[in-house]
Amino acid sequence: MITGYNTDVRHLEVVFHVQTEDKGAANPFIESLVYVGGQVLASKRANYADLLAEGRDEKEIIALMDHQHRTMIAAIRHGKFDAKLKALIRPKTSPQPVLEPVPAGGGQFPAGAGAASRAAVTPRGVPVQAQAQAPPAERTLDQVILEYLTNEADQEQLVLVLEAEADLALGRLASLALRTSSSKSGQPIAGAQVSVRMISTIAEPRVLAVGRTDEYGGLPLRFEIPALDRGTAALIISAVSTIGRAELKHLL
């Protein structure tokens, strides 16, 4: 099971808490939950059984988890859950409308009766309920995410890839071959600033290596990964360029 993500997002003066976690190989789902005030506002599940069947490693699952988590955050910031938020905070009860009594003897109102009262009855004096307009059908979360991903695909973004399998482990020398490119053109991105940080449950984050990509978008890095006698750790590989930033995560 891979360590999950927890992020607080402020939108409309409300704090949304986004939690994404891996359910494990025995139950291969990535689940994202959006909480407001301790209540679940929205959820999203993605099955990755096909990745396991193809023999994909943990990096693929981490990338899926990271993408789904970022997508939920973007959906919040783009107001996709605003209607659900309003329904959640709306008072549970509302005052019932008061119907004017129907006058006896044929449905005639006394002089001075309001137009609203006269409009509320048929000529026979039978009350008519106001016809409320049906609210527009709410889109599913899958539709929202598809719309967001479609819009996102139209924008140029930085792509960061690990060109070869790396044997990354605590207390060992690491050797990485990284490459950056454009999501639209596929052309290499030169001069991207790359950093490798180690985060753990027992120590402050530390930078293990930095560098810039060459004219072909490539960057080789060699560095020592510190040993830990307890706790868990992960590597965060970040790249920043003029067209944005990208990250890779690897659990050690």
Side-chain angles (χ1 to χ4, degrees), residues 181-215:
S181 61
S182 164
S183 62
K184 293 193 72 172
S185 67
Q187 293 298 310
I189 300 298
Q193 177 70 45
V194 179
S195 65
V196 180
R197 290 174 296 143
M198 176 177 165
I199 60 174
S200 73
T201 56
I202 63 170
E204 292 296 318
R206 68 183 79 178
V207 177
L208 303 183
V210 295
R212 286 187 179 273
T213 56
D214 59 21
E215 59 182 315

mmCIF file of all heavy atoms in Angstrom, residues 181-215:
data_model
loop_
_atom_site.group_PDB
_atom_site.id
_atom_site.type_symbol
_atom_site.label_atom_id
_atom_site.label_comp_id
_atom_site.label_asym_id
_atom_site.label_seq_id
_atom_site.Cartn_x
_atom_site.Cartn_y
_atom_site.Cartn_z
ATOM 1 N N SER A 181 10.211 17.465 -21.455
ATOM 2 C CA SER A 181 9.715 17.779 -22.792
ATOM 3 C C SER A 181 8.386 18.506 -22.692
ATOM 4 O O SER A 181 7.798 18.619 -21.610
ATOM 5 C CB SER A 181 9.556 16.503 -23.619
ATOM 6 O OG SER A 181 8.628 15.629 -23.004
ATOM 7 N N SER A 182 7.888 18.974 -23.828
ATOM 8 C CA SER A 182 6.599 19.670 -23.902
ATOM 9 C C SER A 182 5.487 18.656 -24.141
ATOM 10 O O SER A 182 5.619 17.751 -24.965
ATOM 11 C CB SER A 182 6.618 20.689 -25.044
ATOM 12 O OG SER A 182 5.300 21.109 -25.367
ATOM 13 N N SER A 183 4.357 18.815 -23.427
ATOM 14 C CA SER A 183 3.230 17.905 -23.590
ATOM 15 C C SER A 183 2.560 18.068 -24.952
ATOM 16 O O SER A 183 1.888 17.153 -25.423
ATOM 17 C CB SER A 183 2.201 18.142 -22.482
ATOM 18 O OG SER A 183 1.673 19.456 -22.559
ATOM 19 N N LYS A 184 2.710 19.227 -25.609
ATOM 20 C CA LYS A 184 2.037 19.480 -26.882
ATOM 21 C C LYS A 184 2.921 19.110 -28.064
ATOM 22 O O LYS A 184 2.506 18.382 -28.964
ATOM 23 C CB LYS A 184 1.612 20.950 -26.988
ATOM 24 C CG LYS A 184 0.530 21.337 -25.990
ATOM 25 C CD LYS A 184 -0.095 22.671 -26.325
ATOM 26 C CE LYS A 184 -0.989 22.566 -27.543
ATOM 27 N NZ LYS A 184 -1.749 23.795 -27.782
ATOM 28 N N SER A 185 4.136 19.620 -28.078
ATOM 29 C CA SER A 185 5.006 19.407 -29.228
ATOM 30 C C SER A 185 5.912 18.192 -29.082
ATOM 31 O O SER A 185 6.418 17.656 -30.068
ATOM 32 C CB SER A 185 5.874 20.647 -29.463
ATOM 33 O OG SER A 185 6.797 20.819 -28.387
ATOM 34 N N GLY A 186 6.153 17.758 -27.834
ATOM 35 C CA GLY A 186 7.078 16.671 -27.603
ATOM 36 C C GLY A 186 8.528 17.090 -27.684
ATOM 37 O O GLY A 186 9.429 16.266 -27.506
ATOM 38 N N GLN A 187 8.778 18.389 -27.934
ATOM 39 C CA GLN A 187 10.136 18.884 -28.045
ATOM 40 C C GLN A 187 10.802 18.947 -26.675
ATOM 41 O O GLN A 187 10.136 19.185 -25.665
ATOM 42 C CB GLN A 187 10.128 20.282 -28.676
ATOM 43 C CG GLN A 187 9.674 20.293 -30.128
ATOM 44 C CD GLN A 187 10.597 19.469 -31.011
ATOM 45 O OE1 GLN A 187 11.816 19.629 -30.983
ATOM 46 N NE2 GLN A 187 10.001 18.574 -31.797
ATOM 47 N N PRO A 188 12.120 18.734 -26.616
ATOM 48 C CA PRO A 188 12.826 18.795 -25.321
ATOM 49 C C PRO A 188 12.777 20.196 -24.736
ATOM 50 O O PRO A 188 12.755 21.193 -25.470
ATOM 51 C CB PRO A 188 14.256 18.388 -25.680
ATOM 52 C CG PRO A 188 14.387 18.656 -27.139
ATOM 53 C CD PRO A 188 13.038 18.399 -27.732
ATOM 54 N N ILE A 189 12.756 20.274 -23.423
ATOM 55 C CA ILE A 189 12.774 21.551 -22.709
ATOM 56 C C ILE A 189 14.137 21.685 -22.047
ATOM 57 O O ILE A 189 14.456 20.959 -21.102
ATOM 58 C CB ILE A 189 11.650 21.628 -21.652
ATOM 59 C CG1 ILE A 189 10.283 21.489 -22.322
ATOM 60 C CG2 ILE A 189 11.741 22.940 -20.879
ATOM 61 C CD1 ILE A 189 9.955 22.569 -23.309
ATOM 62 N N ALA A 190 14.940 22.612 -22.577
ATOM 63 C CA ALA A 190 16.276 22.848 -22.026
ATOM 64 C C ALA A 190 16.207 23.842 -20.874
ATOM 65 O O ALA A 190 15.322 24.702 -20.817
ATOM 66 C CB ALA A 190 17.203 23.377 -23.125
ATOM 67 N N GLY A 191 17.145 23.711 -19.954
ATOM 68 C CA GLY A 191 17.251 24.668 -18.858
ATOM 69 C C GLY A 191 16.236 24.497 -17.752
ATOM 70 O O GLY A 191 16.092 25.379 -16.897
ATOM 71 N N ALA A 192 15.520 23.373 -17.716
ATOM 72 C CA ALA A 192 14.571 23.129 -16.618
ATOM 73 C C ALA A 192 15.357 22.858 -15.331
ATOM 74 O O ALA A 192 16.311 22.073 -15.331
ATOM 75 C CB ALA A 192 13.666 21.950 -16.943
ATOM 76 N N GLN A 193 14.967 23.505 -14.247
ATOM 77 C CA GLN A 193 15.625 23.323 -12.957
ATOM 78 C C GLN A 193 15.062 22.072 -12.281
ATOM 79 O O GLN A 193 13.856 21.982 -12.026
ATOM 80 C CB GLN A 193 15.389 24.540 -12.074
ATOM 81 C CG GLN A 193 15.980 24.436 -10.670
ATOM 82 C CD GLN A 193 17.496 24.492 -10.679
ATOM 83 O OE1 GLN A 193 18.089 25.320 -11.363
ATOM 84 N NE2 GLN A 193 18.127 23.610 -9.908
ATOM 85 N N VAL A 194 15.936 21.114 -11.998
ATOM 86 C CA VAL A 194 15.513 19.839 -11.411
ATOM 87 C C VAL A 194 16.114 19.690 -10.019
ATOM 88 O O VAL A 194 17.291 20.022 -9.805
ATOM 89 C CB VAL A 194 15.951 18.653 -12.294
ATOM 90 C CG1 VAL A 194 15.534 17.323 -11.659
ATOM 91 C CG2 VAL A 194 15.358 18.774 -13.695
ATOM 92 N N SER A 195 15.307 19.225 -9.079
ATOM 93 C CA SER A 195 15.805 18.959 -7.727
ATOM 94 C C SER A 195 15.258 17.623 -7.248
ATOM 95 O O SER A 195 14.155 17.216 -7.615
ATOM 96 C CB SER A 195 15.387 20.065 -6.752
ATOM 97 O OG SER A 195 13.988 20.106 -6.597
ATOM 98 N N VAL A 196 16.059 16.958 -6.434
ATOM 99 C CA VAL A 196 15.650 15.693 -5.828
ATOM 100 C C VAL A 196 15.662 15.884 -4.314
ATOM 101 O O VAL A 196 16.696 16.220 -3.729
ATOM 102 C CB VAL A 196 16.606 14.537 -6.212
ATOM 103 C CG1 VAL A 196 16.146 13.241 -5.554
ATOM 104 C CG2 VAL A 196 16.671 14.385 -7.720
ATOM 105 N N ARG A 197 14.499 15.703 -3.696
ATOM 106 C CA ARG A 197 14.385 15.845 -2.245
ATOM 107 C C ARG A 197 13.963 14.519 -1.627
ATOM 108 O O ARG A 197 13.236 13.752 -2.234
ATOM 109 C CB ARG A 197 13.356 16.916 -1.889
ATOM 110 C CG ARG A 197 13.775 18.343 -2.203
ATOM 111 C CD ARG A 197 12.629 19.300 -1.943
ATOM 112 N NE ARG A 197 11.518 19.025 -2.834
ATOM 113 C CZ ARG A 197 10.230 19.113 -2.487
ATOM 114 N NH1 ARG A 197 9.902 19.412 -1.253
ATOM 115 N NH2 ARG A 197 9.278 18.886 -3.372
ATOM 116 N N MET A 198 14.441 14.309 -0.420
ATOM 117 C CA MET A 198 14.024 13.133 0.340
ATOM 118 C C MET A 198 13.168 13.595 1.506
ATOM 119 O O MET A 198 13.558 14.482 2.275
ATOM 120 C CB MET A 198 15.248 12.373 0.854
ATOM 121 C CG MET A 198 14.902 11.190 1.749
ATOM 122 S SD MET A 198 16.403 10.281 2.234
ATOM 123 C CE MET A 198 15.764 9.289 3.595
ATOM 124 N N ILE A 199 11.981 13.036 1.614
ATOM 125 C CA ILE A 199 11.104 13.331 2.745
ATOM 126 C C ILE A 199 10.912 12.046 3.542
ATOM 127 O O ILE A 199 10.961 10.943 2.973
ATOM 128 C CB ILE A 199 9.735 13.883 2.294
ATOM 129 C CG1 ILE A 199 8.995 12.864 1.406
ATOM 130 C CG2 ILE A 199 9.896 15.205 1.553
ATOM 131 C CD1 ILE A 199 7.588 13.274 1.037
ATOM 132 N N SER A 200 10.749 12.181 4.840
ATOM 133 C CA SER A 200 10.583 10.989 5.668
ATOM 134 C C SER A 200 9.703 11.306 6.865
ATOM 135 O O SER A 200 9.382 12.470 7.132
ATOM 136 C CB SER A 200 11.949 10.481 6.154
ATOM 137 O OG SER A 200 12.479 11.334 7.153
ATOM 138 N N THR A 201 9.335 10.261 7.573
ATOM 139 C CA THR A 201 8.471 10.411 8.742
ATOM 140 C C THR A 201 9.251 10.770 9.999
ATOM 141 O O THR A 201 8.648 11.019 11.047
ATOM 142 C CB THR A 201 7.691 9.108 8.988
ATOM 143 O OG1 THR A 201 8.619 8.026 9.125
ATOM 144 C CG2 THR A 201 6.747 8.820 7.838
ATOM 145 N N ILE A 202 10.592 10.804 9.908
ATOM 146 C CA ILE A 202 11.382 11.048 11.119
ATOM 147 C C ILE A 202 12.344 12.222 10.996
ATOM 148 O O ILE A 202 13.031 12.553 11.967
ATOM 149 C CB ILE A 202 12.198 9.787 11.505
ATOM 150 C CG1 ILE A 202 13.206 9.447 10.403
ATOM 151 C CG2 ILE A 202 11.275 8.617 11.788
ATOM 152 C CD1 ILE A 202 14.206 8.385 10.804
ATOM 153 N N ALA A 203 12.410 12.856 9.821
ATOM 154 C CA ALA A 203 13.373 13.947 9.652
ATOM 155 C C ALA A 203 12.807 15.009 8.723
ATOM 156 O O ALA A 203 11.837 14.763 7.991
ATOM 157 C CB ALA A 203 14.699 13.423 9.091
ATOM 158 N N GLU A 204 13.424 16.189 8.752
ATOM 159 C CA GLU A 204 13.022 17.264 7.874
ATOM 160 C C GLU A 204 13.416 16.925 6.437
ATOM 161 O O GLU A 204 14.383 16.190 6.203
ATOM 162 C CB GLU A 204 13.707 18.577 8.291
ATOM 163 C CG GLU A 204 13.244 19.129 9.626
ATOM 164 C CD GLU A 204 11.786 19.517 9.598
ATOM 165 O OE1 GLU A 204 11.350 20.112 8.582
ATOM 166 O OE2 GLU A 204 11.070 19.224 10.570
ATOM 167 N N PRO A 205 12.677 17.457 5.438
ATOM 168 C CA PRO A 205 13.047 17.217 4.034
ATOM 169 C C PRO A 205 14.469 17.699 3.767
ATOM 170 O O PRO A 205 14.917 18.703 4.316
ATOM 171 C CB PRO A 205 12.019 18.040 3.250
ATOM 172 C CG PRO A 205 10.859 18.187 4.182
ATOM 173 C CD PRO A 205 11.446 18.262 5.556
ATOM 174 N N ARG A 206 15.193 16.983 2.917
ATOM 175 C CA ARG A 206 16.551 17.392 2.554
ATOM 176 C C ARG A 206 16.742 17.273 1.044
ATOM 177 O O ARG A 206 16.179 16.371 0.409
ATOM 178 C CB ARG A 206 17.579 16.544 3.299
ATOM 179 C CG ARG A 206 17.616 15.103 2.884
ATOM 180 C CD ARG A 206 18.620 14.290 3.708
ATOM 181 N NE ARG A 206 18.067 13.939 5.005
ATOM 182 C CZ ARG A 206 18.724 13.203 5.905
ATOM 183 N NH1 ARG A 206 19.955 12.793 5.657
ATOM 184 N NH2 ARG A 206 18.168 12.902 7.059
ATOM 185 N N VAL A 207 17.506 18.196 0.480
ATOM 186 C CA VAL A 207 17.798 18.180 -0.955
ATOM 187 C C VAL A 207 19.008 17.286 -1.185
ATOM 188 O O VAL A 207 20.068 17.492 -0.589
ATOM 189 C CB VAL A 207 18.061 19.600 -1.487
ATOM 190 C CG1 VAL A 207 18.442 19.554 -2.966
ATOM 191 C CG2 VAL A 207 16.832 20.484 -1.280
ATOM 192 N N LEU A 208 18.862 16.308 -2.078
ATOM 193 C CA LEU A 208 19.944 15.366 -2.354
ATOM 194 C C LEU A 208 20.709 15.713 -3.625
ATOM 195 O O LEU A 208 21.881 15.372 -3.758
ATOM 196 C CB LEU A 208 19.388 13.942 -2.475
ATOM 197 C CG LEU A 208 18.599 13.417 -1.264
ATOM 198 C CD1 LEU A 208 18.181 11.973 -1.509
ATOM 199 C CD2 LEU A 208 19.393 13.538 0.020
ATOM 200 N N ALA A 209 20.045 16.377 -4.578
ATOM 201 C CA ALA A 209 20.719 16.704 -5.838
ATOM 202 C C ALA A 209 19.940 17.777 -6.568
ATOM 203 O O ALA A 209 18.711 17.874 -6.438
ATOM 204 C CB ALA A 209 20.845 15.462 -6.718
ATOM 205 N N VAL A 210 20.633 18.597 -7.351
ATOM 206 C CA VAL A 210 20.012 19.617 -8.203
ATOM 207 C C VAL A 210 20.759 19.653 -9.530
ATOM 208 O O VAL A 210 21.908 19.213 -9.631
ATOM 209 C CB VAL A 210 20.041 21.022 -7.545
ATOM 210 C CG1 VAL A 210 19.208 21.057 -6.289
ATOM 211 C CG2 VAL A 210 21.479 21.450 -7.254
ATOM 212 N N GLY A 211 20.101 20.219 -10.539
ATOM 213 C CA GLY A 211 20.739 20.354 -11.841
ATOM 214 C C GLY A 211 19.794 20.962 -12.851
ATOM 215 O O GLY A 211 18.619 21.197 -12.550
ATOM 216 N N ARG A 212 20.305 21.248 -14.057
ATOM 217 C CA ARG A 212 19.498 21.796 -15.148
ATOM 218 C C ARG A 212 19.601 20.884 -16.368
ATOM 219 O O ARG A 212 20.670 20.335 -16.645
ATOM 220 C CB ARG A 212 19.941 23.215 -15.514
ATOM 221 C CG ARG A 212 19.532 24.266 -14.506
ATOM 222 C CD ARG A 212 19.840 25.668 -15.016
ATOM 223 N NE ARG A 212 19.418 26.671 -14.052
ATOM 224 C CZ ARG A 212 18.198 27.184 -13.999
ATOM 225 N NH1 ARG A 212 17.276 26.777 -14.876
ATOM 226 N NH2 ARG A 212 17.887 28.093 -13.101
ATOM 227 N N THR A 213 18.505 20.754 -17.081
ATOM 228 C CA THR A 213 18.497 19.907 -18.276
ATOM 229 C C THR A 213 19.302 20.558 -19.394
ATOM 230 O O THR A 213 19.368 21.791 -19.510
ATOM 231 C CB THR A 213 17.065 19.644 -18.752
ATOM 232 O OG1 THR A 213 16.388 20.889 -18.972
ATOM 233 C CG2 THR A 213 16.287 18.852 -17.713
ATOM 234 N N ASP A 214 19.910 19.722 -20.242
ATOM 235 C CA ASP A 214 20.713 20.235 -21.349
ATOM 236 C C ASP A 214 19.828 20.575 -22.543
ATOM 237 O O ASP A 214 18.590 20.553 -22.448
ATOM 238 C CB ASP A 214 21.800 19.222 -21.727
ATOM 239 C CG ASP A 214 21.212 17.877 -22.144
ATOM 240 O OD1 ASP A 214 20.030 17.819 -22.531
ATOM 241 O OD2 ASP A 214 21.943 16.868 -22.078
ATOM 242 N N GLU A 215 20.448 20.870 -23.683
ATOM 243 C CA GLU A 215 19.697 21.282 -24.869
ATOM 244 C C GLU A 215 18.776 20.186 -25.386
ATOM 245 O O GLU A 215 17.839 20.448 -26.152
ATOM 246 C CB GLU A 215 20.661 21.713 -25.970
ATOM 247 C CG GLU A 215 21.640 20.615 -26.390
ATOM 248 C CD GLU A 215 22.609 21.088 -27.452
ATOM 249 O OE1 GLU A 215 22.158 21.753 -28.413
ATOM 250 O OE2 GLU A 215 23.817 20.809 -27.315
#
